Amino acid sequence: MSDGCQLSLLDCEDELLTIAGEVEIAHFLEASSMVVKGTYDLSLVEGSITTPRDIERIQQIRRASKRLVTIGACATAGGIQALRNFQDIDEYLSIVYATPHYISTLSTSTPIAQHVPVDFELQGCPINKQQLLEVIHAFLHQRKPDIPAYSVCVECKLRGTVCVMVAHGTPCLGPITHAGCGAICPAYRRGCYGCFGPQETPNMVSLSKHLSQLGVSQSGRRRVLQTFNAYAKPFRQESMSYENENNQD
Ligand code: SF4
Ligand code: SF4
């Protein structure tokens, strides 16, 4: 679990003042030690499910919440800690910890939606604060959040950024990545590395083929897909298809 998404919410301090009259914050230990008992109108949950205790807590939160929104790559895709899902967790424990039997953990790190019904998932590592405010506004007024499902490429076009992949041959995950950051990396002539996770309809095969034509090996493509959103279904399936191929690189 990371605090980055909670900090995004704290970073909204000016904007939150404009809706302060409409909300009462009930349980947000990063901001206040005060805890109000449920039922809650809207619960924003970050972090993945990595321990048996997490499973109990998320079920309690779901029961106490009319609406549940997950925020960030950990909550929506399992986060960077989901890299364990591709390996043997017991082997890691024995290498990393002097007394591994003190560690109580699941063998996988999984998204919240794999355990309880979720009303909306807001992607990003960390999330975009304007998108978070839009989600809060939308649920306050009982409408669907206006969060675009298109790719980072569209954001590139909207801000007039020259495509680094076409112009410079720089590998970029923008075509398969969810919008939300405003295409920051290409604006600084860097390729996108997918921190907002998969867009709604990513063409994984096409991008993989293009990266291959740019000289990115199978192991290189696997490495760029297995980061913050490694366990998001399209990224996971594509990266695992490389591992299953006999003819590597
Ligand atoms: S730089 Fe990347 S995100 Fe931008 S248009 Fe090109 S491929 Fe898409
Ligand atoms: S890695 Fe991609 S999604 Fe993340 S900030 Fe950079 S351009 Fe945006």
Side-chain angles (χ1 to χ4, degrees):
M1 183 184 295
S2 144
D3 279 357
C5 293
Q6 294 186 46
L7 290 176
S8 294
L9 184 54
L10 286 177
D11 195 30
C12 295
E13 50 191 13
D14 290 341
E15 295 86 345
L16 278 177
L17 285 176
T18 64
I19 56 170
E22 298 182 74
V23 297
E24 178 190 13
I25 296 177
H27 190 292
F28 184 18
L29 297 181
E30 192 113 344
S32 167
S33 56
M34 188 185 72
V35 174
V36 179
K37 277 199 161 183
T39 302
Y40 308 117
D41 291 327
L42 174 64
S43 289
L44 303 172
V45 179
E46 54 104 52
S48 63
I49 302 297
T50 59
T51 68
R53 174 80 183 119
D54 289 341
I55 296 176
E56 288 169 24
R57 281 180 68 206
I58 197 59
Q59 287 170 349
Q60 287 165 0
I61 292 169
R62 178 66 268 189
R63 281 194 295 273
S65 310
K66 293 180 189 165
R67 294 276 183 267
L68 192 153
V69 170
T70 52
I71 61 173
C74 299
T76 61
I80 196 82
Q81 58 275 29
L83 290 174
R84 71 170 69 179
N85 304 357
F86 301 91
Q87 303 294 337
D88 178 358
I89 188 69
D90 291 330
E91 195 183 340
Y92 277 167
L93 288 178
S94 65
I95 293 170
V96 174
Y97 298 99
T99 48
H101 56 277
Y102 287 160
I103 306 296
S104 170
T105 187
L106 298 169
S107 59
T108 55
S109 170
T110 44
I112 306 281
Q114 208 164 306
H115 301 269
V116 294
V118 167
D119 295 292
F120 191 80
E121 292 184 305
L122 184 63
Q123 296 178 203
C125 186
I127 51 168
N128 172 305
K129 71 172 188 177
Q130 295 302 339
Q131 289 196 332
L132 177 60
L133 286 167
E134 162 55 19
V135 169
I136 295 171
H137 267 290
F139 278 93
L140 272 177
H141 297 102
Q142 299 183 23
R143 63 173 171 80
K144 187 170 177 250
D146 182 15
I147 303 294
Y150 50 65
S151 72
V152 174
C153 288
V154 177
E155 294 189 303
C156 247
K157 301 304 165 213
L158 288 172
R159 67 186 290 166
T161 299
V162 172
C163 176
V164 298
M165 195 141 68
V166 172
H168 310 294
T170 304
C172 182
L173 297 190
I176 56 167
T177 300
H178 200 288
C181 70
I184 298 171
C185 298
Y188 289 93
R189 299 185 66 168
R190 288 188 54 186
C192 167
Y193 50 91
C195 77
F196 266 69
Q199 55 120 320
E200 196 171 33
T201 53
N203 189 333
M204 304 300 297
V205 174
S206 174
L207 183 74
S208 182
K209 191 171 161 199
H210 196 69
L211 293 180
S212 173
Q213 286 165 353
L214 290 176
V216 184
S217 66
Q218 278 203 357
S219 59
R221 281 174 271 153
R222 184 167 61 242
R223 203 160 47 242
V224 293
L225 289 172
Q226 291 190 348
T227 60
F228 316 95
N229 292 280
Y231 208 60
K233 192 173 178 187
F235 289 11
R236 177 178 85 227
Q237 287 182 335
E238 183 68 17
S239 68
M240 289 184 74
S241 76
Y242 305 148
E243 287 168 339
N244 292 336
E245 283 183 19
N246 295 325
N247 191 14
Q248 295 271 312
D249 301 335

